[in-house]
């Protein structure tokens, strides 16, 4: 049986954040995938904050993580409303830069 140490949890947070960055860079035309990638980045940062907070026996990282989740939920709701409005006007959700 392998006991997970602190670096394993930090690596998971960094991998999630890296996957979010790759998703944004590789899919710049599709706004839905960009929003999902931003959410994955937020979850990676939250995972990292909670891990460090538990390791240091301090609750401030967990409180900051709760605020980040609240902001992420509001960002998703507003972005989906904007996408629906854009789709009603142009009948397409792909953006051209």
């Amino acid at each position: 049986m392998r006991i997970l140490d602190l670096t394993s949890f930090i690596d998971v947070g960094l991998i999630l954040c890296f996957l979010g960055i790759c998703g944004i860079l590789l899919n710049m035309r599709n706004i839905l995938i960009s929003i999902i990638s931003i959410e994955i980045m937020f979850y990676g940062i939250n995972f990292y904050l909670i891990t460090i907070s538990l390791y240091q026996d301090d609750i401030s990282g967990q409180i900051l993580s709760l605020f980040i989740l609240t902001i992420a939920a509001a960002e998703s709701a507003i972005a989906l409303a904007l996408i629906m409005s854009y789709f009603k006007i142009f009948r397409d959700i792909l953006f051209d830069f």
Side-chain angles (χ1 to χ4, degrees):
M1 185 171 126
R2 181 174 180 236
I3 298 173
L4 297 174
D5 55 347
L6 180 66
T7 57
S8 299
F9 290 108
I10 290 175
D11 289 343
V12 170
L14 289 174
I15 289 170
L16 282 173
C17 198
F18 180 72
L19 285 175
I21 291 171
C22 287
I24 290 174
L25 293 177
L26 294 176
N27 295 310
M28 295 183 86
R29 289 190 67 213
N30 194 340
I31 192 70
L32 286 176
I33 293 179
S34 296
I35 291 171
I36 292 170
S37 298
I38 291 171
E39 292 292 324
I40 291 174
M41 285 175 48
F42 281 148
Y43 292 143
I45 292 168
N46 284 336
F47 197 83
Y48 177 76
L49 283 173
I50 290 172
T51 301
I52 297 299
S53 174
L54 290 175
Y55 180 73
Q56 293 181 348
D57 198 25
D58 186 21
I59 199 165
S60 61
Q62 297 172 21
I63 294 172
L64 183 60
S65 177
L66 184 65
F67 286 127
I68 290 173
L69 284 174
T70 306
I71 291 170
E75 176 255 340
S76 293
I78 292 171
L80 288 175
L82 289 172
I83 289 171
M84 292 298 292
S85 299
Y86 187 85
F87 182 75
K88 283 183 181 180
I89 295 171
F90 296 110
R91 297 283 182 222
D92 189 19
I93 60 170
L94 295 177
F95 290 103
D96 292 325
F97 292 112

